[in-house]
Amino acid sequence: MTATNRPSLEYIRTFGGISGQPFGRGFADPVDLEFSGDGRILVLNRGPMVLGLTRVGVYDWDEEFLYEFSSHGDAEGQLTLPTGIALDSRERVYIADEYNHLVSVFDLSGRFLDRWGEHGSGEGQMDGPAGLAFDAEDNVYVVDQHNHRVHRFTSEGRHLASFGELGSGEGQLDMPWGVTLDPEGNVWVADWRNDRVQKFGPEGNFLASYGGPGDGKGQFIRPSSVAVDSEGYVYVADRGNERVQMLGPDGGHLATLRGQATLSKWSREFLEANPDEAEPRSTSNLTPDLPPQFDTPSLVSWQTEELFWGPTSVNLDNEGRLFVTEVSRHRLQIYRRV
């Protein structure tokens, strides 16, 4: 805690870097991640569709590449436009694919097990599934972004219930994206086009709404992901503002992150092996003063290496550390609450 007992977030380090290869170490448009019980980090790479870089890379805390699975395509075990990843209590890996309107299931080694889902707007059907989250009974909540609702399925894909509809009122949704459950089993949804985060009970009853459009404290522009820690603190990927915000259990604003990236282990190794790249970098201004026409969050982030650029998901590991996945810089920034 700080001297005022106001929680804040402390930067730990940066993890990862870009890869232009369809296999091996490296990220390609990472959009989400998940953690195994033994600390493995599963990074879901959406990959530019035209390059076919879609896959799940598995790493340890020390950034060592362990293995990978899946590839780009629409056959069993493949992914086209993956959006979210989650593990059930048996550590089976569930991945939503918004292009194929499916949820694919793998074991932790990457062996394909099953896939389920039906395209449409009827009961239990999906149009662009996005975020995933499991409850204590291994039922999975699936965000149905283009139908503006959230489904609850069994882990085998049997539909149980849905909540939400298009709109901006309490409990209504407009292209929701991320979802998580808090320790009490409440469901938090990143209500993307309504620029807010909503909290629901396990059965979908509306409880609270936080945010609204803007760039002020506690406001959001196109939030894409939400996470809640064991003490009820809330973390939101405020993607349109190129930042992450931390809220208290009551929803009040506590802290804002714009990014503090340093070189990752992979980047240091690359520069050591490529002095012709390292030398011009050493004389470059990586935090430039920009003219007024560049004074928007996206353009500032694009020009400033340490800042978030495309903070798409926020996830908490088993030790409560916050991982921020940057789709546009192909890396993770890691923080802890202090």
Side-chain angles (χ1 to χ4, degrees):
M1 291 288 186
T2 64
T4 59
N5 289 326
R6 182 182 176 89
S8 61
L9 291 164
E10 178 181 75
Y11 172 76
I12 300 175
R13 64 185 174 91
T14 297
F15 184 136
I18 190 170
S19 170
Q21 301 298 318
F23 49 82
R25 187 176 83 167
F27 300 157
D29 292 355
V31 290
D32 199 9
L33 58 80
E34 185 57 287
F35 308 96
S36 67
D38 62 2
R40 280 174 276 182
I41 304 165
L42 289 76
V43 178
L44 179 61
N45 294 279
R46 187 177 175 97
M49 183 185 292
V50 67
L51 298 179
L53 304 183
T54 307
R55 63 187 185 273
V56 178
V58 184
Y59 307 87
D60 65 18
W61 171 253
D62 295 320
E63 297 184 54
E64 292 301 318
F65 172 71
L66 303 176
Y67 58 95
E68 64 190 9
F69 60 90
S70 193
S71 60
H72 179 80
D74 57 10
E76 289 188 346
Q78 293 185 311
L79 305 164
T80 303
L81 286 178
T83 47
I85 183 171
L87 269 63
D88 68 9
S89 65
R90 291 187 281 173
E91 298 207 308
R92 295 179 298 184
V93 183
Y94 290 68
I95 300 174
D97 186 332
E98 67 173 328
Y99 185 87
N100 293 313
H101 313 287
L102 295 169
V103 174
S104 292
V105 188
F106 304 82
D107 67 17
L108 192 55
S109 71
R111 180 171 62 93
F112 173 76
L113 300 176
D114 192 15
R115 65 180 187 177
W116 43 262
E118 183 180 357
H119 184 210
S121 58
E123 182 176 343
Q125 295 179 323
M126 298 183 289
D127 189 0
L132 306 172
F134 280 93
D135 66 16
E137 298 177 351
D138 263 354
N139 299 314
V140 59
Y141 289 81
V142 182
V143 173
D144 184 3
Q145 58 176 312
H146 298 298
N147 286 321
H148 316 285
R149 61 189 179 185
V150 178
H151 298 293
R152 188 170 79 250
F153 296 94
T154 67
S155 56
E156 288 74 35
R158 179 170 60 86
H159 183 250
L160 298 174
S162 303
F163 63 86
E165 62 180 2
L166 177 61
S168 58
E170 291 184 349
Q172 295 180 318
L173 301 165
D174 194 347
M175 288 191 70
W177 186 262
V179 64
T180 195
L181 271 64
D182 67 21
E184 285 74 47
N186 297 311
V187 184
W188 294 72
V189 180
D191 190 1
W192 190 78
R193 205 151 61 183
N194 281 323
D195 301 313
R196 64 185 179 184
V197 170
Q198 294 199 71
K199 178 182 179 182
F200 299 86
E203 301 301 319
N205 51 303
F206 171 80
L207 297 177
S209 177
Y210 304 105
D215 58 7
K217 293 180 178 180
Q219 295 180 316
F220 307 115
I221 297 294
R222 303 302 189 250
S224 54
S225 178
V226 58
V228 183
D229 70 19
S230 61
E231 296 182 42
Y233 291 95
V234 182
Y235 309 87
V236 181
D238 186 6
R239 182 170 174 175
N241 283 316
E242 303 287 0
R243 64 187 183 180
V244 170
Q245 295 197 66
M246 176 185 179
L247 310 179
D250 63 352
H253 175 269
L254 292 176
T256 298
L257 300 176
R258 280 289 277 123
Q260 297 170 253
T262 52
L263 285 175
S264 69
K265 175 182 175 181
W266 300 355
S267 296
R268 293 194 304 271
E269 291 173 350
F270 173 81
L271 292 173
E272 288 168 3
N274 295 273
D276 57 323
E277 297 276 355
E279 203 252 320
R281 176 188 167 82
S282 67
T283 59
S284 298
N285 183 3
L286 303 178
T287 56
D289 293 323
L290 300 171
Q293 64 266 31
F294 286 99
D295 191 19
T296 67
S298 179
L299 291 175
V300 171
S301 287
W302 172 46
Q303 297 285 332
T304 310
E305 184 180 274
E306 69 177 16
L307 300 182
F308 296 133
W309 188 23
T312 301
S313 73
V314 285
N315 298 86
L316 296 158
D317 72 2
N318 300 332
E319 297 186 23
R321 294 174 295 213
L322 177 70
F323 286 63
V324 182
T325 303
E326 293 180 69
V327 66
S328 299
R329 280 215 167 86
H330 317 280
R331 67 187 181 189
L332 317 173
Q333 291 193 46
I334 308 172
Y335 296 78
R336 60 172 161 246
R337 178 164 60 84
V338 294

